[in-house]
Amino acid sequence: MLDERKRKILQAIIDDYISTAEPIGSRTIARKYNLGISPATIRNEMSDLEMLGYLEQPHTSAGRIPSARGYRFYVDCLLSPAKLSENDIALIESWYKTKVRRIDEVFQETAKILSRVTRNVSIVSAPQMRQCTFRYIQFLPLDEERVIVVLVSDTGLIENKVIKIPQEISLEDLQKIAHRINLRLTGMSFDSIKSSLLHEIKREILQQENLFEAAMELLREALAINSTEKVYLGGTTQLLEQPEFRDVDKVKSLLGVLEEERVLCDILQRQNNQGVLVTIGQENKFSVIKDCSMVQATYHIDGQIVGTIAVLGPTRMEYGKVMAVIEFMNQHLSQLLNKYKV
Amino acid sequence: MLDERKRKILQAIIDDYISTAEPIGSRTIARKYNLGISPATIRNEMSDLEMLGYLEQPHTSAGRIPSARGYRFYVDCLLSPAKLSENDIALIESWYKTKVRRIDEVFQETAKILSRVTRNVSIVSAPQMRQCTFRYIQFLPLDEERVIVVLVSDTGLIENKVIKIPQEISLEDLQKIAHRINLRLTGMSFDSIKSSLLHEIKREILQQENLFEAAMELLREALAINSTEKVYLGGTTQLLEQPEFRDVDKVKSLLGVLEEERVLCDILQRQNNQGVLVTIGQENKFSVIKDCSMVQATYHIDGQIVGTIAVLGPTRMEYGKVMAVIEFMNQHLSQLLNKYKV
DNA sequence: GTTAGCACTCTAGTTAATAGAGTGCTAACA
DNA sequence: TGTTAGCACTCTATTAACTAGAGTGCTAAC
């Protein structure tokens, strides 16, 4: 659709704008990039590119900047698949190694690394337990009134919670109940453990005389552990580095949104294909980030979607690098999680 | 030291400055606060107050603003102990109630509430396990290569971690070891569990033939769980609301610091008395927050210091309200934690 | 001791002027 | 026909000059 020369000029403009954040004029292009044509010719081409919607002008006598459509074309057609630099890879791997591995630390650390390498805000959603498979439930003693419920998933996720128990139930009772529950639920996905099933188990335990009611309550509470999805955020400070966020009010509105965990979950779109997804400007559903771009990928365990990692920044983003980082980190994280898996 | 009239004027100026963030002139004071004296008189008094170091002038023809010393006097002598409004109390309690109680959620929630009510940044340090008492250690199965170590403290803190086990050790072996360890360590503070003691236990287990080496490694790893102190941060966005942080660079440097968990720990000073501690401007040891003030309190369980809650904001802070909130939340949190305690 | 009056100071905001970057058009050129 | 040089025109950002306003500090009167 675009001839070779237009592509080259568009690429030059976008590359330049990404690194300088300043509108680019025809002279600059002619000087910096040896395309063998004069500024005047470039001017004509730029005018065409603007007509076609790939560029826009902040005002008449300024240079051009890429439009959302320009970025889209850049990402889809102009970007050669970049490889991460040796340096970055080494950096990433060393960071991962230094930290002790508790599973939630892995996510926190991933968010941190992502933001440092890309110099943008990162969002990492942890696997939702509800998508995992039930492995077992266990009760540990705490005191006369309370026990610790430990819920373990197939993927090695562990949740614990302190809950009250009625006086009439002993720890031994609970452990018996846990045993029964485990027999019935092991291997099922948390999602498929519906209340109908719980009713069945309840009937079974009913024969175990009077403790069913309390026990059921307990179980329901225990299974409620995994209701909220966890999201890890990294490098919100990076926002302030970007010239497009020189304005405090802009930062404020964006940071405000990022603090809301629920909104974050919504922003991340679950997707099923393995690739890296780039959303540019208004393509985002949420108006707060309509002048931001997001690069995200979803990681899997055994083909099951478990979570998403993403980088959020201004539309003027180093797409090539960010995409490479996201891809690399995604693989890395998947590997790491598979180690934890049974 | 200051006569009644000077106090009244100083109080008026600081009150006004706290709410407006603008330098105050003598006319304004005369108009807003009915002190029964003319602007000229107030001017003289203000001049005195400046000489004494309680006020300062941004430039000759501007009004006066409080100095750090002025704030200090205000906090120490002028502030009548404020009570929280019914409204705020209701708000706080409703917030606490809505959330499910997992112990780390309590801290996260506390940070959030603190920042919302005070409209400032809040910092909450969680109890360090090392200051708590060992209750028991338990191993739960995960797969052939890994087990989950669960560490439970006296205060109801629970830590878990997935660790590798050498092939030659069975889960039963581990449980025996756990039993022995528990016999020896229960009731001791984590801090007092030194390597010398571990050596002793090692010798004991040694008789249990070949698994001591691996088991010790395991235990050491397990006990390392609680090495890092956890800090919860709330409402960093609130910073941007304050006019003193209109400047992006200021925000950047402060937010950058707040992202470093280690620095946060250092900023919070452990203190032994029960009261609320106010640190104003340069009184802070850390230069990054030298134009900030901090209000903090330390919460206890059984007289043991376990953690700190704090509010950080510009020196121009609603000290009265913030102090009241900190005090209230501190008590509230202590109660809550004592519920979790054995 | 308090107050009114007044000259003086400093800032923040407004206006005016200027330099610079960039465009678009026209006409010449290969 | 595509490319290029030249030039007038446009718009912004920066600087400089100016002004209004708020506030002080001093003096003299009450």
Side-chain angles (χ1 to χ4, degrees), chain B residues 65-331:
Chain B
I65 60 173
S67 67
R69 186 168 178 191
Y71 282 124
R72 171 52 64 198
F73 186 79
Y74 178 78
V75 168
D76 290 344
C77 308
L78 300 178
L79 217 49
S80 50
K83 278 280 156 243
L84 269 188
S85 73
E86 296 283 324
N87 202 352
D88 281 337
I89 292 179
L91 223 49
I92 291 172
E93 292 189 331
S94 75
W95 269 327
Y96 262 125
K97 267 178 197 143
T98 50
K99 263 282 182 177
V100 195
R101 276 297 104 60
R102 233 184 51 205
I103 193 134
D104 58 318
E105 284 177 350
V106 174
F107 301 113
Q108 190 60 68
E109 203 58 14
T110 302
K112 207 170 194 171
I113 296 172
L114 259 184
S115 71
R116 291 213 185 152
V117 178
T118 63
R119 311 206 140 274
N120 272 304
V121 177
S122 67
I123 310 172
V124 173
S125 81
Q128 274 189 289
M129 237 200 182
R130 50 190 321 123
Q131 293 172 334
C132 302
T133 307
F134 181 95
R135 198 168 147 77
Y136 63 80
I137 191 172
Q138 176 133 7
F139 297 95
L140 300 178
L142 186 55
D143 60 29
E144 294 88 40
E145 290 185 334
R146 289 176 182 79
V147 290
I148 306 164
V149 187
V150 181
L151 213 57
V152 180
S153 87
D154 220 16
T155 47
L157 282 185
I158 298 151
E159 291 278 6
N160 68 67
K161 191 184 171 189
V162 176
I163 54 180
K164 275 192 194 173
I165 47 170
Q167 294 249 324
E168 66 267 23
I169 304 186
S170 73
L171 188 63
E172 287 74 42
D173 289 335
L174 283 175
Q175 278 161 353
K176 274 185 216 154
I177 293 174
H179 184 65
R180 277 175 176 279
I181 294 171
N182 290 338
L183 281 180
R184 287 300 305 262
L185 298 186
T186 301
M188 299 186 64
S189 87
F190 281 98
D191 251 355
S192 65
I193 302 177
K194 297 265 160 55
S195 53
S196 57
L197 183 59
L198 291 185
H199 266 82
E200 248 182 77
I201 300 178
K202 178 173 170 178
R203 216 173 316 145
E204 254 183 62
I205 300 178
L206 182 68
Q207 300 156 351
Q208 195 99 6
E209 68 245 41
N210 64 355
L211 41 79
F212 70 97
E213 197 59 81
M216 285 314 299
E217 201 42 59
L218 217 60
L219 185 60
R220 214 191 314 280
E221 245 193 278
L223 289 174
I225 287 178
N226 62 343
S227 57
T228 53
E229 185 169 10
K230 224 168 178 196
V231 180
Y232 299 84
L233 204 59
T236 45
T237 325
Q238 302 284 354
L239 269 189
L240 302 169
E241 301 286 342
Q242 309 288 352
E244 25 273 276
F245 290 100
R246 276 274 127 203
D247 179 23
V248 177
D249 291 318
K250 263 194 183 168
V251 181
K252 204 161 63 182
S253 64
L254 188 52
L255 279 189
V257 171
L258 293 182
E259 263 186 10
E260 300 286 333
E261 206 160 324
R262 241 177 304 162
V263 182
L264 280 186
C265 293
D266 291 344
I267 287 177
L268 297 174
Q269 312 173 24
R270 283 291 140 62
Q271 45 151 12
N272 230 326
N273 64 333
Q274 297 279 345
V276 173
L277 177 68
V278 180
T279 326
I280 296 166
Q282 298 100 321
E283 295 172 9
N284 282 299
K285 284 179 201 153
F286 296 83
S287 60
V288 239
I289 55 168
K290 71 177 191 308
D291 46 348
C292 288
S293 284
M294 190 161 66
V295 177
Q296 61 177 340
T298 304
Y299 57 87
H300 301 73
I301 296 183
D302 285 348
Q304 287 266 28
I305 297 179
V306 283
T308 305
I309 69 178
V311 166
L312 182 72
T315 43
R316 184 188 62 80
M317 183 193 274
E318 282 186 88
Y319 292 97
K321 179 171 182 185
V322 172
M323 288 167 73
V325 175
I326 281 279
E327 182 150 20
F328 180 79
M329 294 282 286
N330 196 34
Q331 282 168 16

Side-chain angles (χ1 to χ4, degrees), chain B residues 27-84:
Chain B
R27 268 188 74 85
T28 317
I29 296 293
R31 213 184 316 116
K32 275 198 187 173
Y33 304 82
N34 283 336
L35 302 179
I37 42 180
S38 76
T41 313
I42 295 176
R43 264 203 299 283
N44 290 331
E45 295 287 40
M46 282 167 86
S47 187
D48 290 354
L49 284 169
E50 188 178 353
M51 290 298 166
L52 293 167
Y54 296 104
L55 295 178
E56 44 195 46
Q57 238 176 337
H59 54 264
T60 338
S61 73
R64 304 298 206 296
I65 60 173
S67 67
R69 186 168 178 191
Y71 282 124
R72 171 52 64 198
F73 186 79
Y74 178 78
V75 168
D76 290 344
C77 308
L78 300 178
L79 217 49
S80 50
K83 278 280 156 243
L84 269 188

Side-chain angles (χ1 to χ4, degrees), chain A residues 174-202:
Chain A
L174 284 176
Q175 278 161 355
K176 274 184 214 152
I177 294 175
H179 184 65
R180 276 176 176 278
I181 294 172
N182 290 338
L183 281 179
R184 288 299 305 263
L185 298 186
T186 301
M188 299 186 65
S189 88
F190 280 99
D191 251 354
S192 64
I193 302 177
K194 296 265 159 55
S195 51
S196 59
L197 183 59
L198 291 185
H199 265 82
E200 249 182 76
I201 299 177
K202 178 174 168 178

